[in-house]
């Protein structure tokens, strides 16, 4: 046997496990799902062919249309917000001078918890008299304190950064160490003013329905806005690490040359950082689109804590038809909806690749 043939055979042996799993759990599953989408099947009787009836039923099903709208809106909001926040945190961490390892660890902690555990925690946070409602009440009651805190915080941060730039070059205005120092200083001043009776406290008694409501905000139910907040909180840390790895791969000579040419921090970010991070941004956006379009577990755990129409997504719609409570399974409808979800995912990723963020850096 020639050396080339031996290497080719070794290559096929290495990819054989993946090929088998891909065939069984992906190709076969898609073919089987496509077949069931043209049948009436309840898991107990033999499937009977019904043609395009399931797809026609989807178009006329109000819950499916609601789930489709919710899914698209949820994907758009969460993907955009988590990408921007992940990039901002990565830039913030990469410019840290002191305690960089500690800051990375603190930012990454939310992503190590399971999605189910985080959902249960957020269920408690989003109760009508829960922690989030309490935060809103506190913000309204202590709004004078908060305004004073941010004003003093901005002044202290600016003063610390200007002083540090006298000794070190390239100190960022968002340096995390100075942010912490400025925050503690501003907090101390606010506490002193409060103890002296210089800041009034406004009384209020709020009860806010974050989950068990059918109210809409913009183009999405308030319930899904709450789930979006939870989703962003748990996914941003992982995406931040991807951006952080991309930032560390950018040659520092590019920034030095731009600084010599007189480019400020924003210009260096816009013309060097953003173009160089395009491959990472493409991966982050693609992962975000796929993950948000197929989001299921968080709305499933909500259960009766929220109305079905306010938390329905396409993935959950598939589950509801496949395993409805107290009714026969509608595998045909579930299969048709899952194929629509798959086609939608592929189409959105293709459009994002064609007209959105490019794969190659500049």
């Amino acid at each position: 046997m020639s050396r080339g043939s031996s290497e080719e055979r070794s290559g096929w042996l290495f990819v054989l496990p993946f090929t088998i799993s891909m065939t069984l759990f992906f190709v076969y599953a898609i073919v089987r799902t496509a077949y069931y989408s043209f049948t009436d099947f309840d898991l107990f009787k033999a499937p009977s062919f019904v043609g395009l009836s399931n797809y026609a039923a989807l178009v006329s099903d109000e819950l499916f249309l609601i789930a489709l709208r919710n899914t698209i809106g949820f994907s758009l909001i969460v993907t955009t917000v988590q990408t921007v926040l992940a990039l901002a945190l990565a830039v913030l961490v990469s410019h840290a001078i002191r305690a960089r390892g500690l800051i990375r660890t603190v930012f990454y902690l939310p992503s190590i918890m399971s999605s189910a555990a985080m959902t249960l925690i957020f269920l408690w946070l989003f109760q009508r008299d829960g922690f989030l409602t309490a935060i809103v009440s506190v913000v309204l009651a202590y709004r004078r304190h908060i305004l004073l805190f941010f004003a003093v915080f901005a002044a202290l941060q600016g003063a610390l950064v200007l002083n540090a730039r006298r000794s070190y070059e390239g100190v960022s205005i968002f340096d995390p160490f100075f942010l912490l120092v400025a925050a503690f200083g501003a907090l101390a001043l606010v506490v002193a003013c409060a103890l002296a009776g210089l800041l009034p406290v406004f009384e209020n008694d709020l009860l806010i329905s974050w989950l068990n409501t059918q109210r809409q905000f913009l183009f999405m139910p308030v319930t899904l806005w709450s789930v979006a907040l939870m989703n962003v909180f748990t996914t941003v840390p992982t995406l931040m690490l991807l951006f952080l790895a991309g930032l560390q791969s950018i040659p520092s000579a590019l920034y030095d040359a731009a600084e010599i040419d007189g480019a400020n921090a924003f210009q260096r970010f816009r013309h060097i950082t953003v173009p160089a991070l395009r491959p990472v941004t493409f991966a982050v956006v693609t992962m975000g689109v796929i993950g948000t379009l197929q989001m299921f577990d968080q709305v499933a755990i909500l259960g009766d804590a929220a109305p079905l129409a306010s938390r329905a997504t396409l993935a959950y719609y598939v589950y509801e038809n496949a395993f409805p409570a107290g009714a026969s399974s509608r595998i045909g409808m579930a299969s048709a909806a899952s194929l629509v979800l798959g086609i939608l995912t592929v189409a959105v990723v293709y459009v994002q690749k064609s007209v959105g963020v490019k794969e190659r850096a500049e």
Side-chain angles (χ1 to χ4, degrees):
M1 182 182 300
S2 64
R3 182 174 180 178
S5 299
S6 178
E7 290 180 352
E8 183 178 356
R9 177 172 294 184
S10 299
W12 280 109
L13 287 176
F14 277 117
V15 301
L16 184 60
F18 175 76
T19 304
I20 294 175
S21 63
M22 193 71 174
T23 303
L24 290 177
F25 299 105
F26 187 75
V27 178
Y28 174 76
I30 289 179
V31 173
R32 196 72 171 175
T33 300
Y35 166 71
Y36 283 140
S37 68
F38 298 103
T39 65
D40 180 15
F41 183 41
D42 62 359
L43 293 178
F44 298 101
K45 297 182 299 183
S48 58
F49 185 78
V50 294
L52 297 176
S53 298
N54 290 324
Y55 294 95
L58 287 181
V59 177
S60 60
D61 188 354
E62 183 179 0
L63 182 59
F64 172 78
L65 298 178
I66 292 174
L68 179 62
R69 183 189 62 197
N70 289 347
T71 299
I72 295 175
F74 182 86
S75 179
L76 177 64
I77 292 297
V78 174
T79 302
T80 302
V81 173
Q82 70 184 10
T83 302
V84 173
L85 286 182
L87 178 58
L89 287 179
V91 172
L92 185 67
V93 172
S94 66
H95 285 84
I97 296 178
R98 301 175 179 85
R100 180 176 297 182
L102 175 62
I103 294 171
R104 289 181 184 177
T105 303
V106 171
F107 284 167
Y108 186 68
L109 280 177
S111 67
I112 66 176
M113 297 186 65
S114 70
S115 178
M118 289 302 300
T119 303
L120 293 176
I121 293 174
F122 269 78
L123 276 175
W124 171 72
L125 294 177
F126 282 112
Q127 292 179 4
R128 291 186 65 202
D129 55 350
F131 185 70
L132 197 61
T133 300
I135 290 179
V136 176
S137 299
V138 169
V139 169
L140 293 177
Y142 293 91
R143 51 184 179 270
R144 295 283 180 85
H145 302 68
I146 295 172
L147 290 175
L148 178 61
F149 170 84
F150 281 108
V152 176
F153 170 77
L156 285 178
Q157 176 69 5
L160 290 171
V161 171
L162 290 177
N163 181 65
R165 287 180 176 177
R166 297 178 180 178
S167 303
Y168 303 96
E169 294 183 358
V171 178
S172 172
I173 189 65
F174 300 109
D175 184 273
F177 178 76
F178 294 135
L179 288 175
L180 292 176
V181 174
F184 280 116
L187 182 61
L189 180 61
V190 170
V191 171
C193 292
L195 293 176
L198 301 178
L199 297 173
V201 178
F202 301 91
E203 297 293 334
N204 62 79
D205 186 14
L206 291 179
L207 289 176
I208 304 175
S209 294
W210 301 96
L211 299 175
N212 191 14
T213 177
Q214 296 184 2
R215 290 184 294 114
Q216 296 269 336
F217 178 71
L218 297 179
F219 50 84
M220 199 165 66
V222 172
T223 302
L224 276 186
W225 281 101
S226 304
V227 176
L229 177 62
M230 172 178 56
N231 195 280
V232 168
F233 180 77
T234 55
T235 55
V236 162
T238 301
L239 303 180
M240 177 200 70
L241 291 184
L242 298 178
F243 277 121
L244 192 58
L247 287 172
Q248 294 174 346
S249 67
I250 302 176
S252 59
L254 296 177
Y255 294 104
D256 296 336
E259 190 172 1
I260 292 174
D261 290 339
N264 56 35
F266 176 76
Q267 290 171 330
R268 294 195 297 271
F269 175 79
R270 178 184 176 185
H271 297 290
I272 297 177
T273 305
V274 173
L277 286 178
R278 282 187 175 179
V280 180
T281 306
F282 173 80
V284 167
V285 172
T286 302
M287 292 169 55
V289 168
I290 295 174
T292 52
L293 287 177
Q294 299 179 358
M295 194 271 296
F296 164 77
D297 52 345
Q298 293 163 347
V299 295
I301 294 174
L302 286 179
D304 295 333
L308 179 59
S310 297
R311 59 186 170 90
T313 61
L314 283 181
Y316 190 74
Y317 180 86
V318 172
Y319 172 80
E320 276 289 301
N321 280 275
F323 308 103
S328 299
S329 298
R330 298 183 292 272
I331 301 300
M333 289 283 290
S335 299
S338 65
L339 283 181
V340 172
L341 175 58
I343 294 172
L344 176 64
T345 303
V346 173
V348 171
V349 171
Y350 177 79
V351 171
Q352 192 276 131
K353 180 179 179 180
S354 301
V355 302
V357 182
K358 304 300 181 181
E359 294 180 81
R360 294 184 178 182
E362 292 185 358

